[in-house]
Amino acid sequence: MQVHPRDMARIAFILLCHKDPQAVIAQARRLTAAGDHMVIHFDGRADDAAYREIAAALSDTPDVVVLKKRVKCGWGEWSLVQATLNAVDAALEAFPKATHLYMVSGDCMPIKSAEYAHALLDSAQVDHIESVDYFRSGWIKTGMREERLIYRHFLNERKHKRLFYAAVDWQKRLGLQRKVPADLEMMIGSQWWCLRRRTVEALRDFCRARPDVMRFFRTTWIPDETFFQTLVRHLVPGDEIRSRSLTFLMFTDYGMPVTFYNDHYDLLLGQDYLFARKISPGAEELKQRLGALWAATGAGFEISDEGRRLHQFLTGRGRIGRRFAPRFWETESSIGRDRVLMIVICRKWDLARRLVERIRQVTNLPALGYVFQDAATPLPDLGGLQSTLEKRDRHRRALVRMLFDYYATDRMILCMDPAGFDHLRDFASDRAEVRFLDIECETPDSYLTAHAVRMGLAGETTPPAAMDRLLTTLRHDFAFQTDRIRDAGFDNYHVIRDTDAAERTTGPLAEFLGIPREAALEIAGTDTLFAD
C-alpha cells in the first residue's frame, strides 16, 4: 500500500479499561502523539484511586477525554455496550474533526505507524467490522446460540451461573420466547471495530429512534458481539463494509487469546493489521518498540500475513528449539516440574490394565488406563475436559495436570499404546520427570487377526490370502512403532517382556516405580499377570 505524505484521516480511539493506570496513561499519550484522539472509560467497578490517577495525569491533554460517568461493566452484559455508547457520544462531541472511531483495549498495541494507518483509512470509504450471519456462519462454536437472543438475560452468567441457567430454563418451560426485531438480520463478530464517523452518527440516530431495538439488546447475552455488528450491517451498504477487524488476535488450542512477547516484534509487523492484542504486560521492550513505531514517519512494511500459520507451527507439540517456546509463567503448558508421570507402554491393553491395577494395590499410587486411546477409561469430572477423546488429546497436558491435582499426588501412572508416539514425545519434553516402562509383547497370528477385526480391517468373510497380506502389514507396522520409540532416546526408559520371569522383571519395574525390589517382586510375581 502506498503511504501518502499528507493524510486526511484522524482517529478517535475508544478505550475501555479497568486496571493498570500507568499503562492506560502511557497508551493515551502514545496513540495521541500523531494527532489522533482518545476517549477513556474506566470501569465503574475498578479502583477509584486508579481512576483519579488517570484523570489527573491526562487533565491537561486536549486530545484525551476521561469519562466522568463510569458504568459498572460485567462480561456478557449490556453494560459493556452502554459504556461504549457513552464513549462514542463523548468522542463525537469532543472531537469534531475525527473521521473514524476505533475500539481498542488496554492490551492492544499498534503494529503499524500512524502514517500508515491514516493512509489505509483514507484509501477506501469503508467500515472495518467483523459482521457475519449469526445463525449460518458457525461463529459460535459451543454453548448457547438462539437462546442468547430469544430469552431475556438479566443476570451475569459468571457471577450467578446457577441462577442464570435456571432463569433460561424457566423461560423455556413457560414458553416466554421473544422475537428478534423483524427488520434486523442478526449478525455477530469481534468487538474490535473501526467505523467511519458518519456510520457512528447514523447508528446513534437509529438508537434514539428505535427504543424497541435498544430494549431487545439490553437483555441479550454477550451483546458486544452482536449490537454494533448487526446495526452497522443494517445501516450501511454491504459494499462499504470490510467484514474483518483491523486488530490482529489469535487463540491457542486451549481457547485462550495468544499473548505476544518481546520476540514477536517481527511477526507482528508482518501482519495485515493495524493493532495487535494481547500484548504481555511484562513485554516492556515490545511495547517500547511498538510505541515508537506509531509515531514514526516514512516507515515501510512488508506484509506476509503468515502469523497464524507460523505461530501454530512454531508452538507445535514436541517441537525442538527455543524461539516461541512456552514461557515459564504459562503454567498450562507443563504438568509441573516437581511431578513424576509414569507411562506404561503396551499394545495389549488388558495386560497393561492388570499390571497398573496390581501396582495400585501394592503402592497405592493413582494408576489409570488408556486415557488417550480408550474413551471408556473412567475419569473424574474435570469440567468436561475428560468427556471425549478429542478434548483429552487437544488438552493433554492440562488434563494430566488436573488429574494430579484431583488425586492430590505428585506421582501417577498412565497406560499408552505404542501407536501414540506423539503423546509419548510430548510428555517426554515436559519439565516434569517422565518415566517409561515399555512392555514388549509377543504378537502371534491369532492376536494380529483379533486386532484386525477389532480395528474393522477384517471380518469373518476376509479371504485367507488377503488376511495374510494384512497380518504381514500389521506386523511391520508394530515393528515400526517399536523402533520409533526406541530410537527416540527417551530418558528413564525401561523395557520388560511379557515372557520374562518375575525375577528378571523386578529390576526394571523397581527403577520405573522408584520402589524397593521386594515390592517390585510382589507385583511381578502375581499369577497370570501377563497372561493373554
Side-chain angles (χ1 to χ4, degrees), residues 16 18 26 78 116 125 187 205 214 235 308 336 342 387 404 442 445:
L16 269 57
H18 64 279
W78 169 255
Y116 182 100
Q125 289 300 308
M187 312 298 286
D205 292 342
M214 300 300 283
L235 297 168
R308 289 180 172 82
M342 291 166 275
S387 58
F404 272 104
E442 290 190 336
D445 286 354

Side-chain angles (χ1 to χ4, degrees), residues 440-455:
E440 187 177 294
C441 299
E442 290 190 336
T443 54
D445 286 354
S446 58
Y447 172 82
L448 293 174
T449 300
H451 179 77
V453 172
R454 284 195 301 270
M455 296 293 292

Side-chain angles (χ1 to χ4, degrees), residues 56 67 331 365 413 493:
L67 291 181
T331 55
L365 289 173
I413 304 171
Y493 178 77

